[in-house]
Amino acid sequence: MSLRPRNLPAEERRAVTVETVVELAAEQNPSDITTAAIAKRMHLTQGALFRHFPSKDSIWEAVIAWVAERLLARVDRAIEAAESPLSALEAVFMTHIEFVTAHPGVPRMIFGELQRAQDTATKRMVRELLRRYSARLVTLIEDGKARGLLAPEIDTTASATLFIGTIQGLVMQSLLAGNADLILAQAPAIFAIYSRAIRNLR
């Protein structure tokens, strides 16, 4: 991360903190990231960091809010630019993959957070993100069925779940391989299989 001025407005300091955590999560186990490490990367004291965030958990919550805002904004732009529900699904699929590739620390943080036994505020935020994401997919799939582009007999909820699960599986493989770019190469062929499963081929 490039050196940034120490005296930043509060909102900008919070944004820089979030970006720093995402960068660190791409380099190491997110559960091992300490506020001391965050402050060191930002060339701050922990005291300065805690003036903007009361706790480490509040930093994690800010990261998930950042992810939700940016990912859903990209998804919405992809949907708006598409010519049909099916092309919109493909655009969303690739947009999500590109987001993960650009920010490999994000899925590591989310997967790590979901492994925690307790029901944290961050986990609830992730669930809400998935709910909002799924709602967009359900709308596209129902629209595709109504237009005769997608098979009328497919289960809409299951199709949305499979869409998200397919991306999660690709992301998990990229994490295991230690290569976030791997899923970019595989994504088009994987979506083609998904698309064939839901299209109206009659």
Side-chain angles (χ1 to χ4, degrees), residues 1-4 14-34 37-43 59-60 63 66-67 99-109 175:
M1 173 182 263
S2 58
L3 206 61
R4 293 182 170 95
R14 288 174 62 87
V16 171
T17 303
V18 167
E19 293 168 8
T20 300
V21 173
V22 172
E23 289 176 3
L24 287 169
E27 301 168 7
Q28 64 186 87
N29 186 339
S31 64
D32 293 336
I33 298 173
T34 62
I38 298 168
K40 182 178 179 181
R41 177 67 67 94
M42 295 175 67
H43 306 283
I59 297 175
W60 258 236
V63 171
W66 180 91
V67 170
F99 181 84
V100 169
T101 303
H103 306 289
V106 167
R108 296 181 67 173
M109 288 192 67
L175 292 176

Side-chain angles (χ1 to χ4, degrees), residues 60 64-65 67-68 106 109-111 113-114 120-133 168:
W60 258 236
I64 299 303
V67 170
V106 167
M109 288 192 67
I110 290 177
F111 286 144
E113 188 64 28
L114 294 179
T120 64
T122 307
K123 286 176 74 171
R124 291 192 292 273
M125 292 174 71
V126 171
R127 286 200 298 269
E128 175 61 14
L129 168 58
L130 287 174
R131 186 196 66 77
R132 294 168 64 191
Y133 191 113
Q168 290 172 334

